[in-house]
Structure formats: structure tokens, C-alpha cells
Amino acid sequence: MSHRLPDHALAVLSVSTVLLSVLFAGVPGIDLAASSLVHADGSGFVLRDTAANAAVDRFLRPLAMVTVAGYLVLAGLSLATGGRFLSLRFRHILSVGLVFAIGPGLLVNGALKSWIGRARPKNIAEFGGERLFSPAYVPADQCLQNCAFVSGDVSFIAAFLAPVLLLAPGRRRAGIAAVVVATVLAGFYRMATGAHFLSDVALAALMTWTLALAVHGMLCKREG
């Protein structure tokens, strides 16, 4: 099973993350304009307080626990079989665990959300709330915990790129496409419920994908 990827893939994602970061920080009106597209005067954000919203919440949160449990089982089987289980070595299992732990875990929920303190769209004055809008990356005092920047849910979905990168090339392409589609849908959903701005979801995805490629490159690429 080959784990090689195009050498320029990590560079493309890294540059894209930097460029979009500069764009969102320099032109914060993009976030307000994008959120206004999924907000209706009088009724609020189009998917907030809907049956679809409740259904996704019941599914997405438990998925995190199932993922952690599955990772622990795979790690244990990998150790017990000397890396022969599912043709994966322990370093392959480790790469997946690191992406989920560092991306959605430490970087997003452990650092950025608390440090930036950005209010969610549904809570700012422009959309009927009482909090003040703040641009991406700009520290604010409008939120104390579980804040908007960046999206933990989107980062979690994007982190599934890590196990997909371990697939054979033919299956990998389909897997990457599925992860991208799922991440985009998750981003739209979070925006349409008023939970996140466009920059929150776009940068969460790019940061996590960049991390996944970096970790994969360090632990999983084979020579030749």
C-alpha cells in the first residue's frame, strides 16, 4: 500500500491557508455578507431551531465519542499484532490520532476558540443579538468559552482526511472527495444555524487538512 502524495499538496494548502487568513482578517465584511445569505429578517438563520438542526446535533456529537473509541481499538489491535492488523503499522494509527488530537482538540477547542473570543453570528447585533462583531484572528471579549473562531465541528469532519490518506491511491481519491464534500456540507450547516462565519469554517478546514498532510508526511510516507 503506497502512502505517497504529490509533494506540492502541503505547500498548496499552506499557502491557501495564509492567503485566506489575510483576506478574512483584512476584509471582515466578507463574513457579514456571507452570513446574511443564510439569514432572513424576521425568522433568523435558515436552519436554526429546525428538525434538521436537532437531528444533526444528535448524530454529530456522539460521532466524536465513537471515533475516539474506534481509534483506541485500532491502536490496541495494531500493538497486539505487531502492526499487521488491517496492514497498518502503529505509526499509521498514530498519525490519525495525532491529527484528531491536535486539530479539533488542542488547536481549535483548546487554543483558538478561547483565545480569540469571537461571538457567533446568531449573537451579534447585525443579526439580532447583543454582542459585537469582530474579524477573524482579532482577539475579542465577546465570548468566554466555546466561541466561533474556528469551527470545531468542521475541523472534526476535515480531520477524517487523516485515515483517508492511508488508503491505496485509487480509493484515496474517492475518499478525499467524500471528505471534502462532507466538510463543505458541515460548514454550510454551521453557517446556516448561525453558529459560525465563513472564515470560521473555511479556515478550520484548511488548517486541519494542512495538519493532516504534514503529519502524514512525517509518519507515513514511504521512500521510493
Side-chain angles (χ1 to χ4, degrees), residues 124-171:
I124 66 173
E126 286 83 349
F127 300 114
E130 299 179 350
R131 303 299 176 89
L132 300 177
F133 169 76
S134 59
Y137 289 106
V138 176
D141 60 357
Q142 298 302 299
C143 175
L144 297 179
Q145 60 182 357
N146 194 26
C147 306
F149 189 82
V150 290
S151 172
D153 289 336
V154 170
S155 178
F156 177 74
I157 297 299
F160 279 91
L161 178 65
V164 164
L165 292 177
L166 299 174
L167 298 174
R171 294 180 179 179

Side-chain angles (χ1 to χ4, degrees), residues 87-99:
S87 299
L88 296 176
R89 298 181 181 180
F90 179 70
R91 59 192 173 95
H92 302 147
I93 305 295
L94 178 62
S95 71
V96 175
L98 285 176
V99 171

Side-chain angles (χ1 to χ4, degrees), residues 180-223:
V180 170
V181 170
T183 304
V184 170
L185 290 176
F188 172 78
Y189 160 73
R190 295 302 281 164
M191 288 182 62
T193 59
H196 288 289
F197 295 102
L198 177 60
S199 61
D200 299 332
V201 301
L203 293 175
L206 288 174
M207 289 176 182
T208 307
W209 288 338
T210 302
L211 172 67
L213 284 183
V215 171
H216 180 85
M218 288 187 292
L219 295 180
C220 301
K221 272 191 175 182
R222 295 181 178 179
E223 296 181 359

Side-chain angles (χ1 to χ4, degrees), residues 2 15 31 61 65-66 68-69 71 83 109 115 130 138 142 145 148 150 152-153 159 171 174-175 196 205:
S2 173
V15 171
D31 275 332
R61 304 301 187 264
M65 300 304 298
V66 172
V68 172
Y71 162 72
N109 288 296
W115 179 51
E130 299 179 350
V138 176
Q142 298 302 299
Q145 60 182 357
V150 290
D153 289 336
R171 294 180 179 179
H196 288 289

